[in-house]
Amino acid sequence: MSAMTSPRAAAEAPVSTAPPLRLVPGGAEPPGRPAGSPAPPAQLLGLADEERQICAISRSTVQAAIEVLAGTRPAQQLARRLDERCLCALQHRAALTRRVPCGASPTAGRLHRNASVRSVRACRVSADVYEASAVVVEELRVRAVALRLERSRLTWRVTVLEIG
């Protein structure tokens, strides 16, 4: 309809007889999926949620473990998350770190200070086991941390914790 045509004339004008649109199989797919790929099953979506949960657990556990080594958090706060061997090893390492005299080296007093977890990656090993890695940035260095998480009844427990 142009500016010169009245609404009544536009209503009386013949209507185009173009054929209706129809869907063609193999046509355009929604963005984000390659053409011809099936929709992701609900099981895969559940695994993605579980992996995000594992990454969150790993991030908080690694942050707390580094704080234990720095002496700003008691190791017993990790008793529910770590199995007994990991907890004992972490307590032992924290005790050794505290025994290092600050005057022994210029960096000894600043070990594990101002640490933050930069990234976490998780890999599913089996239905009840994940392995994760984390990158921790401290004041003086960058560390790698490796974890193994196993499902224990209703919770995930860290059964291996290696801090580089």
Side-chain angles (χ1 to χ4, degrees):
M1 176 166 75
S2 68
M4 301 300 268
T5 310
S6 69
R8 184 175 215 186
E12 294 172 358
V15 178
S16 160
T17 58
L21 294 177
R22 61 186 175 97
L23 294 176
V24 177
E29 294 288 325
R33 274 199 337 239
S37 67
Q43 181 183 14
L44 289 180
L45 295 176
L47 288 177
D49 289 340
E50 186 174 79
E51 189 170 318
R52 278 194 290 276
Q53 178 187 11
I54 293 296
C55 286
I57 291 169
S58 299
R59 179 179 295 276
S60 63
T61 302
V62 168
Q63 182 70 43
I66 295 295
E67 290 171 3
V68 167
L69 293 178
T72 58
R73 178 187 292 258
Q76 287 303 316
Q77 287 186 2
L78 287 170
R80 289 177 48 194
R81 184 65 62 200
L82 301 178
D83 75 343
E84 290 181 35
R85 287 180 297 134
C86 286
L87 185 61
C88 289
L90 183 65
Q91 288 173 329
H92 180 70
R93 184 169 174 173
L96 291 176
T97 304
R98 282 192 299 271
R99 284 181 35 190
V100 173
C102 291
S105 75
T107 61
R110 297 187 299 189
L111 284 175
H112 310 294
R113 300 291 179 202
N114 299 325
S116 65
V117 180
R118 177 163 294 171
S119 67
V120 177
R121 302 282 186 265
C123 178
R124 185 173 187 243
V125 176
S126 69
D128 294 334
V129 177
Y130 273 86
E131 290 182 349
S133 63
V135 176
V136 178
V137 178
E138 296 178 1
E139 200 171 286
L140 299 174
R141 62 194 291 187
V142 177
R143 295 179 181 273
V145 180
L147 303 98
R148 182 177 177 96
L149 294 99
E150 297 179 6
R151 193 185 316 260
S152 158
R153 295 189 189 108
L154 301 175
T155 64
W156 289 94
R157 292 190 65 119
V158 176
T159 57
V160 177
L161 176 66
E162 292 290 331
I163 302 173

